[in-house]
Amino acid sequence: MTIPVQERLHDFAATLLERRGALVEWPASDRAGTAMLPPEVAAAVGTAEDVVSLACDAPGGGLAVNLAGDFLEWSGRLLGGLPQIGAFRVRDLYLKRKELHEGIERTFTWLNAKVKLREARETTIEYHTWWFHAAINSEDRWESCFSLSLNAASGVAVEIPDPLDLWELQANPHPSAESPASYSWAVAAARRRVLRLAGAFCDRMDGRLQRDRKRLRDYYQALVRESEKKKARGHAPPDPEKIEATKRAVGLELRRKLAELDERYAMEAVLRPVVLVRTKTPVLAVDVSVFRKQAHKMHTVYWNPLVKQFDPFRCSVCGESTFAVAFSNEEVEPLCQGCNSIRRPSS
Amino acid sequence: MTAHIVEAAAISSPSHPGEEAPLRTAAGIPISFRALPPPEGSSTGDVGPLRLHLEYWQLRLLRDFDQLLCLEGLTGVEHLPHQIETVRKVLRRFRGRVLLADEVGLGKTIEACLLLREYLLRRLAQRVLILVPTALVSQWREELATKFHLDFSTPPRTGVADGPDYWRNNDRVLTSMAFAKSRKRVEAVTEVPWDLVIVDEAHHCKNRATQNWRLVNALKRRHLFLLSATPVQNNLLELYNLLTLLEPGHLKTESDFKRQYVRRGNPRDPRNRERLRSLLGEVMVRNTRSLVQMDLPARYAQTILAQPQGEEAALYGLLDDYLRRRRAPLAEVGGVHPVNANGHEEETAADDEDDAVFSPPEKTALEPLGRRQLSSLLLAAGSHAGALAQSLENVAGNDPAARPLIDRARRIDRTAKDEHFLQLLRQGRGEKMLVFATFRRTLEHLQQLLRKEGVAFATYSGTESEREKDAAVAAFREQLPVMLCSETGGEGRNLQFANTLVNFDLPWNPMRIEQRVGRIHRIGQTRDVFIFNLCTAGSLEARILALLDEKIRMFELVVGEVGSILGNLQGGEEFESLVLDLWLRSHDDRDLEQSFDSLGQSLLSAQEEYLRTKRLDEALFGEEFQ
């Protein structure tokens, strides 16, 4: 195990145990330390002792803090008692109304509708930053962790800085008790992200599968060809019935092996939301009246002070973010260029 | 999104969480998505716990193949560089389908277990089936548990294992090939999917017409490790059959293979040797002693037969009579598994064959003794009178007929073995001596004996704490001439500074004897090793030793060869179970002697088969196959 990993494990284990009420005596420079555990923590880590030794390399009878063994298992159990949702607010961001309308005109392209911008107003909305652990199980395994942030009012994915690193961050004294409506949007965006991140993995699996399929087909087809061949000079030709039976058996076996192969390579992607941070942020909102043919609908454009730019629109079909916005005919819902071009022939 | 992933259906409205979209890769691999529910519970305004959650998942990701996870947290496993290299190779190049064909004694089992652990830790495998010869089931189970901290379920010998539920509900199953291939349960075993299947002594699957080959071929498995030091026994086609289990078509069809690689008239002699070796290199790893430069010094064994006198001789005679009176018919005791010296239940012998029935015992008011009790008492008798007294008290304490035996055993202070042991100590040439005893009572007796004689010693057994064990080994290394060890004592410790080993008693399982010897006869040992086996004349242990030492020269074999020989034994029973059966079936000493002679012949045949195969494999793969 490398030194940086050991340091990370040390910090993580010590902090986690202290969070759960343990008294930890383990200086970073020491190879091993000790911890006095409350009963529920002792039970979670699977020890009957209330004072245990800790070390990154396997200690004699103590708790081993390493990537193997059961460390990740028991720390997972201990983490179960800690909240996974953060509620924060960002204060005192300087909001500048000047030239907002010009900014909108410069940033957005209205592809098929007329828009009328209303007066800018100050408001607060939440940005939801979701951290996901994603894994794809196939013949091999792919894993990643990533975060994505959404404007919880519009559902659009935005690129904001890691909220946990914001110096303006404060605890939100009145956190919302409602379950976050952004979850379904986040999952849809996470799926797109996974497919992008795992592209090379999918290509590799494709290549392997094709090679394996070819090997199996060549093998079983050769078996069939062999069954049709004369054994040796002077021998009677092979019995057609036997050949048919062999072909059937080989065909069945090939199908079974190919099915097994497909089963082995089938990909199951699992998205696990790990942490949600709700950041209540003061923003400038500009209501936009959108006129599409005979229909009309009000949408809102948000000026995001965290990145000092406007949040894009969220395509109502594919969920992608877009600054070049088209609108559907009756519902006047935003569409990205791609979805708009697919819809156009039928509209 | 990568250009190589296509949506099969037209773009639809935003999906609901957890809904599966019909996605496929370019080669048509379906991708299903599953989203787990969002976190619940109260929220926090403190970034600390949130950072802990994020760090936790980052740590879980720190698992690339360059950093093997399987090595961390292991106790008692001395892994060698070639084993680590093999693990890396299998992970990177072989994609979990490999024939591990290291020469005997180089640690194929360790490699397979390291790989297994790596696959489990990386979550590349969850459901694992291990198929081994019956004789090796208990050894595998013990190694998995003690060295790799992996618990495996061994199927019960009841109807429960005949249905698919047992195999479906247990994610980690260790069983014998004979048990799994049985007609009544083969369907259940092959019906459920396995992520990883490990087949030890895989040369038993060399023939496509056998149930063994068919079983492995029919198993639904993602990864497959075949283990065999001797993959070719008679014919190159055997190798072809094994590799076809791993990768059908890798060596083309059988007739293609014969045409290209088998010399007509000599099925053992390959043509196109280099091409064949290159193809084999894609699915097979073979480390040889010369390749890994692992040659150990010689070892010499001496058996010391102690002739019991007076009270002691009378005790053994009375005990034999008593046990023969109280034994149950074989058919009755067959379901009770013998127990080893550590109290672990062992596998029973035959899988589906009926045990022979012999004449019933004399009627007594008490229940007949089962296999476990009988083997425990016989082992204790072979160890020491004190151990026997304790075992009799435990097993037959309520039997008035056993009372005189217990009293008599307790009265014996010094046995004939004790005298020989002390003599050995006196002749010890100043060498450090590692003394093994199975029973705790025997260890206590030896402690008293040494104290009386004024010999300083250390003790290493299961009752000491880790710190005490460390201190015992240090004291033995630095100053003490003797260390008393229990069965598992010293496992994984470096004790090569000693080169003399005394087996004060003997386990019936030759693999256990070899494990004891392996404590000092291992990498790092620079001097010749001397082994002294103490046993009482006429005891079962004496007969076992005669078999192992005189017939197959067990103590001169290379580490690991005993396992290969035992694996070739017909019937596929555990050796200690065979021994107990011989005793149970015999009526008197003459009977027993004849039975042991016959077992000796079987052992010899098994050894000849092993040696013949070994020669062939050496010729085929050469010294430097990689």
Side-chain angles (χ1 to χ4, degrees), chain B residues 143-180:
Chain B
E143 291 214 349
L144 284 165
T146 57
K147 293 184 178 169
F148 297 92
H149 314 301
L150 297 171
D151 285 326
F152 270 73
S153 163
T154 306
R157 282 157 195 282
T158 61
V160 170
D162 299 344
D165 284 351
Y166 169 80
W167 306 91
R168 196 174 290 125
N169 296 337
N170 286 285
D171 277 350
R172 297 177 190 175
V173 179
L174 164 69
T175 187
S176 68
M177 181 74 88
F179 188 81

Side-chain angles (χ1 to χ4, degrees), chain B residues 67 70 136 147 198 204 246 450 453 519-520 572 592 612:
Chain B
Q67 187 183 321
C70 59
L136 303 180
K147 293 184 178 169
I198 299 176
H204 293 303
L246 285 172
L450 290 176
E453 291 295 314
R519 307 282 199 281
I520 58 171
L592 195 58
R612 193 165 39 81

Side-chain angles (χ1 to χ4, degrees), chain B residues 388-400:
Chain B
L388 174 62
Q390 186 61 48
S391 294
L392 272 170
E393 189 75 71
N394 295 343
V395 171
N398 57 347
D399 180 7

Side-chain angles (χ1 to χ4, degrees), chain B residues 234-249:
Chain B
N234 298 300
N235 189 325
L236 277 171
L237 278 182
E238 293 163 357
L239 182 65
Y240 172 83
N241 289 337
L242 281 180
L243 298 188
T244 297
L245 282 174
L246 285 172
E247 297 272 12

Side-chain angles (χ1 to χ4, degrees), chain A residues 12 20-21 32 42 45 58 84 88 115 121 145 168 199 231 245 253 295:
Chain A
F12 173 73
R20 295 302 311 267
V45 304
Q84 288 171 273
F88 301 95
V115 298
R121 59 189 162 84
C145 280
E168 307 96 333
K231 289 285 175 207
E253 182 71 355

Side-chain angles (χ1 to χ4, degrees), chain B residues 326 402 559 602:
Chain B
R326 289 228 28 211
V559 175
S602 306

